[in-house]
Amino acid sequence: MNAEGDRRVIALIDMDCFYVQVEERENPNNKGKPACVVQYRKWKGGGIISVNYEARALGVTRQMRGDEAREKCPDCILYRVPERRGKADLTKYRDGGKEVIDVMCSFGVCVERASIDEAYIDMTMVIEQTLPGCTATAINVEELPNTHFVGWENETDDVKGVHGWLKALSKEDCNDNDWKLMLGAVLVEKIRAAIYEKTGFRCSAGIANNKMLAKLACGINKPNKQTVLPFTSVQDFFTTFPLKKVRNLGGKLGLTLREELLCTTMADITHIPEKILQERFDTKTGTWLYWYARGVDHDPVSSRRLPKSIGCNKNFTGLAALDSEEKISHWLEELCAEVSERLEKDRETNCRLAKLLTVTVRLEGDIRPYSYTRSIPLHSSYDKIRMAKSCLAVVMKENPCKQGNAKIPWVVTCLGVSASKFVDQLESSSRIDHFFAAKQSTILNPEKEKRVEEEPLHRKDGLYDLHADQEDEEFGMEEIDKIPTETNAVNIIEPEYHMAQISALSNEIFQENKEKASGASSPCLNRENNDSVKKTGFFASRSLKKCVPIHHSSEESIAQSSQVNPFNQTTFSVEEIFPDLNQVDMETLALLPPHLRRQVLQAIQSKQGNEGTAKFVVCDKCKEEFLKEEIEEHNDFHVAAELQREFSLQPSTSSSSFNNLEGAKVVKKSSKRPLKNQKNATKDTKRSRTIESFFGNS
Ligand code: TTP
């Protein structure tokens, strides 16, 4: 790694007092007057989350509440964030952010949306095409009306440093990089002007050779200004710049640097040898930090106009804190309702499906943003009730006292739900979808099927939502995972995604069969038929399967589900599904009906000439064949199924919330199996366990 290698031209564009600007656009007569946006809660006028620059000039800050702002400035307008389902409704701010992104994208640059009101752009390619033949005289100072150059400002006659910089560019020893930054500054002036023209919003920007420098340059001159941070000015600038203000160093890593290694500025880190940094953190982080402190950051701008996650959270402070399962359940339902609605919209607009649902909890007394985070697989259905139940199950499993709605020993002060791990809707289902669609044309409405398949993909921009809720104090959550260190894994549990899919699928089948066993699905033949015409391929097959009333026990149903699958009657060749057996996609495999999956596994086995060797094992309960790595997870499922069956036979002693645990398979980074020891437990012991304890710590 070295400093010389990075000659990209990156900008960070950040909207000025964004929420206030959105409100001002709706109320043009108020433009130019001091104003703030306050959170929806009314106590003391509500917490301020955005302050315009007129109000800032009069002493109003974001740390104040609405009433204090009015004391400072009686004319200050207080806009209130709209409310829906008892929480903030950020739709109009998100939509405003999307408009801005659309303008940026129209310039042919690579855009990475970084939060509700900011985005990185990589202009390198565009600039490199313009570069040949540029001369300093060709650049007019008027093209840079709002640009400042760090290190070149001259308080007397060149406050912004533009003249000094242009003069330097005309010298012979001036390098390409300086030129590129200059051209980048001209382009960003144009982009910002276009944003204003098309949306009416003002913004500021930072221009530099990488994301970290661009981000910190952006904050130097605001509002409606842009700042170039040339690489040659970085070291000087870093001698006073507090490290806690640097991207990726605001959190735990920054705290360790400050408290343990006594660094307060970026330059302080440069005095620590790389080896020491590697020893204190780890090799990768140490090296990264070593260069980071020298202004080097290779993090690419990844083209991303869509959010990586869709979620919302809510704080419950003081008397509003959640101290019963009932309250937690209620708010999880509210949060899941919002997430589900936005996911559906996202699926329609962006043709993608979220595969992971993450629930975050902060407990009373905890100063961290979140006390714990748990992830569970999310199935193709965005059913808000099922999502909420799954979330409740994983939240409550952490609680040492899980007695229904009894007072619980811990109190929740923040709850968050977010969906992530998006996959292309077609990509995820295409192979299997087309495969089944072809085979079942007589089952589904062929006209409808054709229409669905021929419909063009409407890929529109989605919304990026890091500021999930006004009350959320933790910004830039996604930045956490950019740090190349284990430290970022502290609160985030990575999914063992493929393996989880297998057991999640089993859970899903189990749940469906449970519904069938209870007779719930039998009266809905017509409804299911209607649904089925809307769905294609595998999903349609699931709907059809649901229509068949079965009255077996749940586990029997799972084992026998292949007998009721209408596709059983059709013969498919394994090659039709997986033309290359060396590249079998586990996700697709997990979606197959059991008999087909068995065929695929057998085909792989014989292809590898491993027949009879220990690569696959047969489950002695359902006689299905599994990859060796899958069997443990699969066994867990049988135990869960058994417990659930017993649980549903017993009079309910616990919250009904636990009766439906479809999808509530906790995915953890460590492959610690919660059931490992319990599998050897006697039947009686198993019987005495509740479904909560199955998912609880073991
Ligand atoms: P910021 O970009 O941090 O702030 P801002 O746009 O209001 O002002 P500035 O000109 O200094 O950039 O946040 C963007 C929006 O995110 C902000 O308008 C309101 C919202 N927000 C919250 O909801 N809660 C918060 O704690 C913060 C800091 C912002």
Side-chain angles (χ1 to χ4, degrees):
M1 201 185 286
N2 64 63
E4 297 309 307
D6 205 344
R7 289 292 177 255
R8 294 173 296 159
V9 191
I10 311 289
L12 185 267
I13 297 186
D14 179 28
M15 308 314 293
D16 300 324
C17 55
F18 187 50
Y19 284 17
V20 177
Q21 285 204 77
V22 172
E23 298 294 340
E24 284 175 344
R25 192 171 66 167
E26 281 183 6
N27 303 278
N29 292 340
N30 291 343
K31 264 202 164 168
K33 297 177 186 165
C36 308
V37 171
V38 292
Q39 279 174 353
Y40 49 99
R41 253 188 294 126
K42 298 201 171 90
W43 184 70
K44 288 195 177 174
I48 295 178
I49 52 172
S50 186
V51 187
N52 73 2
Y53 285 80
E54 289 83 350
R56 289 184 205 193
L58 297 168
V60 179
T61 69
R62 193 157 28 203
Q63 282 67 43
M64 295 177 175
R65 301 201 68 88
D67 289 352
E68 291 172 77
R70 279 269 169 76
E71 273 166 32
K72 274 258 172 224
C73 168
D75 296 333
C76 189
I77 298 164
L78 300 184
Y79 298 105
R80 198 165 288 282
V81 173
E83 199 178 324
R84 199 170 159 225
R85 292 196 191 94
K87 65 182 293 301
D89 178 5
L90 305 183
T91 312
K92 66 176 163 184
Y93 309 117
R94 281 194 207 104
D95 289 351
K98 179 182 175 299
E99 285 176 48
V100 173
I101 297 289
D102 287 345
V103 178
M104 291 181 196
C105 290
S106 69
F107 280 81
V109 290
C110 173
V111 178
E112 176 183 322
R113 199 165 181 190
S115 82
I116 200 164
D117 78 330
E118 60 181 8
Y120 289 98
I121 59 179
D122 187 335
M123 304 171 279
T124 316
M125 283 219 322
V126 176
I127 298 294
E128 278 174 353
Q129 284 161 9
T130 327
L131 191 62
C134 268
T135 61
T137 48
I139 307 259
N140 193 330
V141 179
E142 265 118 61
E143 289 182 84
L144 298 161
N146 298 306
T147 308
H148 294 243
F149 289 84
V150 175
W152 293 84
E153 309 91 334
N154 178 338
E155 291 304 325
T156 48
D157 59 353
D158 188 11
V159 188
K160 296 187 282 184
V162 188
H163 296 285
W165 183 255
L166 274 174
K167 211 164 148 194
L169 278 192
S170 61
K171 295 202 176 127
E172 288 203 341
D173 60 350
C174 150
N175 63 37
D176 266 10
N177 189 39
D178 296 339
W179 263 109
K180 286 186 191 173
L181 291 179
M182 169 62 96
L183 293 174
V186 173
L187 181 57
V188 173
E189 286 272 13
K190 290 198 168 102
I191 296 175
R192 291 177 44 246
I195 291 174
Y196 182 62
E197 193 197 318
K198 303 223 164 85
T199 68
F201 298 142
R202 294 283 191 200
C203 59
S204 299
I207 300 121
N209 289 125
N210 59 50
K211 283 163 96 171
M212 178 255 286
L213 296 177
K215 168 94 181 166
L216 63 88
C218 180
I220 300 173
N221 295 291
K222 284 193 113 203
N224 193 27
K225 293 188 183 73
Q226 59 180 56
T227 306
V228 178
L229 177 51
F231 197 76
T232 42
S233 304
V234 170
Q235 283 315 314
D236 259 5
F237 185 70
F238 274 4
T239 52
T240 51
F241 199 77
L243 70 85
K244 69 174 167 197
K245 287 196 175 170
V246 178
R247 176 173 185 261
N248 287 330
L249 298 182
K252 207 176 157 194
L253 186 60
L255 195 71
T256 311
L257 284 164
R258 293 200 308 271
E259 291 188 348
E260 272 186 40
L261 301 173
L262 307 177
C263 300
T264 48
T265 67
M266 287 297 274
D268 290 342
I269 309 174
T270 60
H271 301 136
I272 305 174
E274 185 176 359
K275 204 164 180 315
I276 305 278
L277 291 172
Q278 289 176 334
E279 275 163 16
R280 175 56 192 87
F281 301 99
D282 58 66
T283 315
K284 211 170 159 191
T285 311
T287 302
W288 172 79
L289 257 178
Y290 178 85
W291 286 105
Y292 207 57
R294 287 160 177 78
V296 179
D297 170 27
H298 292 298
D299 188 13
V301 174
S302 2
S303 176
R304 178 153 51 85
R305 297 160 76 178
L306 301 179
K308 252 165 114 181
S309 59
I310 289 181
C312 55
N313 61 6
K314 185 164 172 67
N315 286 333
F316 306 94
T317 44
L319 290 178
L322 309 181
D323 58 1
S324 75
E325 184 185 328
E326 198 180 20
K327 291 180 190 169
I328 294 170
S329 172
H330 166 77
W331 279 106
L332 282 173
E333 277 168 23
E334 295 297 326
L335 296 174
C336 286
E338 177 180 331
V339 172
S340 156
E341 193 175 303
R342 284 168 53 203
L343 283 172
E344 284 298 352
K345 194 170 155 195
D346 180 79
R347 169 162 42 191
E348 256 171 49
T349 317
N350 304 313
C351 301
R352 58 183 193 156
L353 285 173
K355 293 287 190 175
L356 198 72
L357 190 65
T358 301
V359 56
T360 42
V361 175
R362 184 172 63 224
L363 301 177
E364 193 171 50
D366 200 336
I367 52 159
R368 295 170 299 174
Y370 298 111
S371 303
Y372 63 86
T373 301
R374 294 288 177 265
S375 296
I376 47 186
L378 184 57
H379 307 297
S380 47
S381 140
Y382 293 148
D383 183 312
K384 59 184 182 190
I385 305 290
R386 283 160 79 173
M387 283 163 63
K389 281 180 175 168
S390 299
C391 289
L392 183 66
V394 295
V395 168
M396 292 308 291
K397 100 177 177 53
E398 300 295 325
N399 188 348
C401 170
K402 310 173 184 98
Q403 298 306 309
N405 288 329
K407 284 265 176 189
I408 52 180
W410 47 240
V411 172
V412 171
T413 57
C414 178
L415 269 183
V417 173
S418 104
S420 58
K421 301 277 171 205
F422 284 92
V423 294
D424 193 296
Q425 191 172 5
L426 285 191
E427 210 172 89
S428 97
S429 62
S430 64
R431 266 182 290 174
I432 196 155
D433 210 33
H434 287 190
F435 170 73
F436 284 126
K439 299 283 178 191
Q440 63 179 339
S441 50
T442 53
I443 304 171
L444 292 175
N445 177 341
E447 282 308 303
K448 190 82 175 185
E449 184 91 23
K450 193 156 170 274
R451 198 186 64 74
V452 172
E453 289 207 339
E454 282 172 2
E455 231 163 54
L457 249 184
H458 294 296
R459 276 196 170 281
K460 292 184 197 153
D461 303 333
L463 301 163
Y464 197 93
D465 179 19
L466 285 184
H467 302 342
D469 186 322
Q470 278 87 349
E471 294 200 333
D472 186 3
E473 296 140 18
E474 195 52 20
F475 283 83
M477 273 159 67
E478 289 201 34
E479 291 188 357
I480 297 168
D481 59 26
K482 300 276 164 52
I483 308 169
T485 160
E486 289 153 21
T487 49
N488 62 334
V490 173
N491 286 328
I492 298 192
I493 294 162
E494 291 281 318
E496 290 166 334
Y497 185 62
H498 282 191
M499 299 310 286
Q501 282 292 303
I502 308 261
S503 73
L505 177 80
S506 309
N507 277 345
E508 195 172 86
I509 296 171
F510 165 68
Q511 187 51 41
E512 281 190 9
N513 285 318
K514 185 168 176 274
E515 278 166 19
K516 280 177 246 160
S518 69
S521 63
S522 32
C524 66
L525 199 61
N526 291 336
R527 181 173 62 79
E528 290 295 337
N529 277 338
N530 287 340
D531 281 350
S532 70
V533 294
K534 291 190 201 117
K535 299 168 185 170
T536 59
F538 176 72
F539 300 104
S541 85
R542 302 297 301 278
S543 305
L544 289 166
K545 202 168 66 165
K546 262 192 184 176
C547 301
V548 183
I550 321 174
H551 300 287
H552 298 298
S553 75
S554 307
E555 258 189 283
E556 276 164 357
S557 303
I558 298 160
Q560 295 172 14
S561 60
S562 59
Q563 293 163 18
V564 297
N565 187 328
F567 300 111
N568 262 4
Q569 278 93 54
T570 323
T571 317
F572 304 113
S573 81
V574 166
E575 289 71 30
E576 278 182 275
I577 317 170
F578 298 114
D580 181 358
L581 287 175
N582 292 321
Q583 291 189 9
V584 170
D585 174 28
M586 293 298 277
E587 243 179 82
T588 314
L589 181 64
L591 290 168
L592 289 174
H595 73 289
L596 275 178
R597 189 166 58 167
R598 190 165 48 239
Q599 279 177 25
V600 175
L601 293 173
Q602 279 162 355
I604 299 174
Q605 197 173 33
S606 58
K607 184 172 189 305
Q608 293 171 343
N610 277 343
E611 217 141 14
T613 61
K615 199 140 198 221
F616 300 99
V617 276
V618 175
C619 168
D620 55 4
K621 292 209 170 62
C622 62
K623 309 298 175 218
E624 289 296 327
E625 205 161 349
F626 288 88
L627 282 172
K628 224 169 139 192
E629 307 89 285
E630 296 171 13
I631 193 69
E632 202 168 359
E633 191 112 22
H634 173 74
N635 284 339
D636 288 354
F637 156 69
H638 279 297
V639 179
E642 195 176 321
L643 286 167
Q644 181 126 17
R645 195 185 57 214
E646 287 170 9
F647 185 71
S648 60
L649 292 175
Q650 282 164 13
S652 176
T653 51
S654 179
S655 163
S656 59
S657 314
F658 291 100
N659 284 340
N660 179 352
L661 270 171
E662 190 274 318
K665 179 86 184 94
V666 184
V667 184
K668 291 194 175 192
K669 184 169 190 168
S670 83
S671 22
K672 238 168 93 187
R673 311 272 172 203
L675 285 177
K676 209 158 194 161
N677 302 329
Q678 289 151 12
K679 261 181 259 151
N680 300 328
T682 61
K683 214 171 176 203
D684 282 352
T685 324
K686 278 185 197 167
R687 199 162 268 139
S688 68
R689 298 179 67 213
T690 63
I691 196 77
E692 299 96 302
S693 64
F694 168 72
F695 286 103
N697 297 328
S698 52

